[in-house]
Amino acid sequence: MDILKVTLTAFLSAGALFVIAKIMGHKQMSQLDFFDYISGITIGSIAAELATELESPLKPLTAMIMYGIISVALSVITRKFPKSRKYINGTPTVIMSGGKIYRNNMKKAKLDLSEFMVMCRQEGYFDLTEIQTAIFEYNGRLTILPISEKRPVEPADINLTVSPASVFTEVIMDGRILGENLRRMGLDETWLQKRIKEQGYKKAAEIYLGICDDNKSLVLFKGE
């Protein structure tokens, strides 16, 4: 009987967690602010307790729902009242600008020099002299503005007109043809099979990944 109860409460916990996560939105799973981080950990802990709570599962379930409501309410407040964001989410902090590293701002952001260097390298900057401004965002990410001389050249800089970029769609995955994606692009398997043979393959099963853009340009990758 206890095994049945544990099974039922586990399903209840997973279902409740899924619904609450859907209501709170994908932000909970991507770039978290401080409260999202705290509520995410707390809801997960309560969900684990709910999965094994046999006597009164409604208590942890109610707590999960309340945390979800509070998180959604805070999202609404920060959206309706922009001035509240700095109190709820925090504010960005300038760590470096114009060749100067602001020690007091690093203390405010609770960053040490080693952590700052790691974050710069993760963004692709091994040479700090290439950085014009580095800002520590409230979600814990470091945003870097490179100096003008090190900024990648863009087409507009050399008066070059380029065609709009195309979005690639998967048409083959793990050797299987994704017919629905093909039809959405106005293509069919006959067209795909012809293009596969043109690129030296005999059948789709040989291909690990196949992607196609709006211009019907097919790119195939063979798994190693």
Side-chain angles (χ1 to χ4, degrees):
M1 191 66 179
D2 285 347
I3 294 177
L4 179 60
K5 287 183 178 180
V6 169
T7 303
L8 291 175
T9 53
F11 273 108
L12 177 62
S13 171
L17 194 58
F18 177 80
V19 172
I20 291 172
K22 282 290 185 182
I23 294 173
M24 292 171 66
H26 290 123
K27 188 178 70 169
Q28 182 68 21
M29 297 180 290
S30 56
Q31 297 179 357
L32 307 179
D33 58 34
F34 181 75
F35 186 79
D36 285 329
Y37 177 74
I38 296 299
S39 63
I41 292 176
T42 305
I43 289 175
S45 299
I46 297 173
E49 180 183 349
L50 172 59
T52 55
E53 178 58 64
L54 306 180
E55 300 299 328
S56 52
L58 287 180
K59 291 181 180 179
L61 178 61
T62 302
M64 283 177 64
I65 293 172
M66 288 306 301
Y67 264 95
I69 291 173
I70 292 171
S71 183
V72 172
L74 286 176
S75 295
V76 172
I77 290 172
T78 55
R79 197 163 55 242
K80 295 284 187 181
F81 306 100
K83 290 184 178 179
S84 67
R85 293 172 188 169
K86 73 174 187 176
Y87 301 106
I88 296 175
N89 293 335
T91 56
T93 304
V94 177
I95 302 298
M96 178 178 177
S97 183
K100 296 180 180 179
I101 297 177
Y102 299 108
R103 184 176 298 178
N104 290 336
N105 286 358
M106 289 189 70
K107 290 181 180 178
K108 179 182 176 182
K110 295 179 175 59
L111 272 179
D112 60 38
L113 198 54
S114 296
E115 290 172 325
F116 174 63
M117 294 292 291
V118 168
M119 297 177 83
C120 288
R121 290 194 294 270
Q122 287 176 335
E123 294 297 319
Y125 292 90
F126 289 76
D127 185 355
L128 295 187
T129 61
E130 297 180 358
I131 299 174
Q132 173 64 38
T133 304
I135 300 174
F136 188 67
E137 306 289 358
Y138 67 81
N139 60 6
R141 298 287 299 273
L142 187 69
T143 303
I144 294 177
L145 174 68
I147 61 175
S148 300
E149 292 81 1
K150 297 295 182 179
R151 180 174 59 85
V153 177
E154 297 181 356
D157 295 332
I158 54 177
N159 297 320
L160 179 65
T161 302
V162 296
S163 301
S166 295
V167 177
F168 279 89
T169 302
E170 298 86 356
V171 293
I172 300 174
M173 292 189 73
D174 291 322
R176 295 193 300 271
I177 295 175
L178 305 181
E180 185 176 342
N181 288 358
L182 274 174
R183 289 189 290 274
R184 189 162 56 241
M185 299 180 69
L187 304 173
D188 56 27
E189 291 192 21
T190 301
W191 175 90
L192 181 60
Q193 293 289 0
K194 182 179 178 181
R195 295 297 182 275
I196 288 173
K197 291 179 180 178
E198 287 177 355
Q199 296 195 30
Y201 296 95
K202 294 180 180 179
K203 53 186 178 179
E206 301 176 27
I207 300 164
Y208 185 60
L209 174 65
I211 55 178
C212 185
D213 67 5
D214 298 333
N215 298 319
K216 298 181 173 56
S217 176
L218 181 67
V219 181
L220 304 177
F221 299 91
K222 185 177 181 179
E224 296 295 339

